[in-house]
Amino acid sequence: MKQKKTKTGYLLVTILCLIGSGLWVFRSTISSFLKSPEVLPKVETEIPKLTVKPKEITYESRIDQAQKLIENEYFIEATQVLTEAIRQKPELIEAYILLGQIHLQNNDDKKLQALIVKLNKLFPNDPAVLMLGTQRLINAHEFSEVLPWLEKSTDLPPDLLFYKAALLTLQNNHEASKTILKELEKLHVKSKAVLLEERGGQKSTSEEIRLRPEFSKKVTEFRIVYEEFADFKEGKDAHLFAKFSKVLSENNELALALAFADRSVKEDPEYVDAWIIKGYIQYQQQDFISAIKTFRKAYALDPIRPEVHYFLALALTEEGLLEEATIYFEKALEYDFEFSEDVRWKLINILLEQKKYDQVFDLYKELLAKEKDPQKFASAIHTAIEVANKPKAALELTSILIKNNPNDTFAMNMQAWAMIANKQYPEAETLLKKIQKKDKTDPRSYLNMGLLYEEQGQDEKAKTMYQ
């Protein structure tokens, strides 16, 4: 019973120490400050009540807040903020468009269509509404409708021109696509654009501005694929469409990217890279069942590709198929490729859930051979001591940590913790005093010293160290 209490107390203090060493001093100082009778003077007269008018939240601040919430995928909260923004200034379009982006990301086509109908009435012929409608059609893979819609207008904004170029590429109209891409690349350097400013709902023209950096990057990368393919004389169309698919997926144009990957697969069903790219896009779209099927097809075509093993294992993990995921992660580790370190960390998480601790510690040792940052291995020491109840394994791991980082106080503290778990009390005390000689303000050394005294039944000393 005492041991359980000790571990619980230690974990609690660990959390507090991670928050910051100044917390204890601050809390005790404030406590004594508030208890002091000299602090609060006697009030002879009644203090008049002050009425403070709450600060009004501006439309612009609501838009900024909603954008941040959307970026972090807090869609419900963002919708609430945007609803308030629309009530505040229903004549401005920004809040409506952001609401449309939420419907897009949630694949809520019914709400998105209703919003677009409303926007066409409120803001007829606004390019932002045309953009939202185009994104809806692309998201729904209704590509045959998009291009005629875009060709109705002769003065398209840059974003829609890019979609037009991409769709022309998909139709094998490469010359027309390349012409648009060249014009778009010039645009961010030479053209003057109209900047919409919220000044009473009016539009005003600004000085010359550049397009968004991420947009320019997307256009340039798309155009470069054409240049690379021109040099690749023996290349098939499947390779071209696979390269475009990769560029689009990296620029978060997932619906278009999937269309290009499908086109690549149709051009050459034996082209493994196309299947890998397609599966990864489905994984990004969180369509894990489809991703598993696609990666299985890639595996059947080339069973020794480590990327296939890795991505298939990721998709299987998301579907909770951990036993099979483990098999493919281990297959991936048979090859030294760029994701090997990530594979080991993901395998550790699966094996921990399966309580296969010996395999977990073997993986930690492999990671320690390459990764030198001791703070990444705090979880390893915690697992050995608190979860697996294997203190010797903790000491073995911390010995490697110290060897990699002989003067690092974090690594030294980890080793002291392992020594305490192995009842090597004198050695732990010597090491902790060495840390405190280097840094008298190191909170973890006092935490470990408190644990050391508590383990030896010296409770008063332990309390002093914890405080």
Side-chain angles (χ1 to χ4, degrees), residues 175-192:
E175 291 307 315
S177 177
K178 284 189 274 189
T179 300
I180 293 173
L181 292 169
K182 285 176 183 177
E183 290 303 313
L184 283 173
E185 281 200 305
K186 293 177 187 176
L187 193 64
H188 79 281
V189 177
K190 296 179 179 178
S191 76
K192 289 189 175 181

Side-chain angles (χ1 to χ4, degrees), residues 357-358 360-362 364-365 368 377 380-385 388-401 414 418-419 421-422:
Y357 299 124
D358 289 338
V360 166
F361 297 133
D362 286 340
Y364 275 130
K365 288 174 193 173
L368 278 164
F377 294 94
I381 313 309
H382 173 267
T383 298
I385 295 172
N389 194 25
K390 290 180 178 285
K392 288 184 179 179
L395 199 57
E396 191 176 351
L397 292 172
T398 56
S399 297
I400 302 171
L401 273 181
M414 290 295 102
M419 286 174 172
N422 283 276

Side-chain angles (χ1 to χ4, degrees), residues 156-167:
L156 291 171
D159 289 280
L160 291 178
L161 277 173
F162 175 78
Y163 285 136
K164 185 176 180 179
L167 292 170

Side-chain angles (χ1 to χ4, degrees), residues 320-437:
L321 303 170
L322 300 185
E323 291 288 345
E324 193 178 1
T326 302
I327 293 169
Y328 285 103
F329 275 134
E330 288 174 344
K331 280 179 177 289
L333 285 179
E334 293 174 10
Y335 308 87
D336 187 18
F337 79 121
E338 59 180 317
F339 297 117
S340 293
E341 189 174 322
D342 188 52
V343 169
R344 288 184 174 89
W345 286 111
K346 292 188 183 303
L347 255 179
I348 283 169
N349 291 332
I350 293 174
L351 294 170
L352 277 173
E353 195 168 325
Q354 297 171 337
K355 298 184 179 180
K356 297 178 180 179
Y357 299 124
D358 289 338
Q359 289 174 259
V360 166
F361 297 133
D362 286 340
L363 286 168
Y364 275 130
K365 288 174 193 173
E366 290 174 18
L367 285 165
L368 278 164
K370 295 184 177 181
E371 175 58 62
K372 304 302 180 186
D373 183 0
Q375 299 204 29
K376 289 189 176 181
F377 294 94
S379 60
I381 313 309
H382 173 267
T383 298
I385 295 172
E386 301 288 351
V387 180
N389 194 25
K390 290 180 178 285
K392 288 184 179 179
L395 199 57
E396 191 176 351
L397 292 172
T398 56
S399 297
I400 302 171
L401 273 181
I402 288 291
K403 185 179 178 181
N404 291 342
N405 307 273
N407 298 311
D408 186 89
T409 55
F410 188 91
M412 293 163 75
N413 268 304
M414 290 295 102
Q415 189 172 47
W417 185 13
M419 286 174 172
I420 295 166
N422 283 276
K423 302 189 184 303
Q424 297 179 3
Y425 301 138
E427 294 89 340
E429 186 169 13
T430 300
L431 183 56
L432 290 169
K433 285 180 177 178
K434 183 180 177 181
I435 297 170
Q436 290 172 355
K437 190 175 179 180

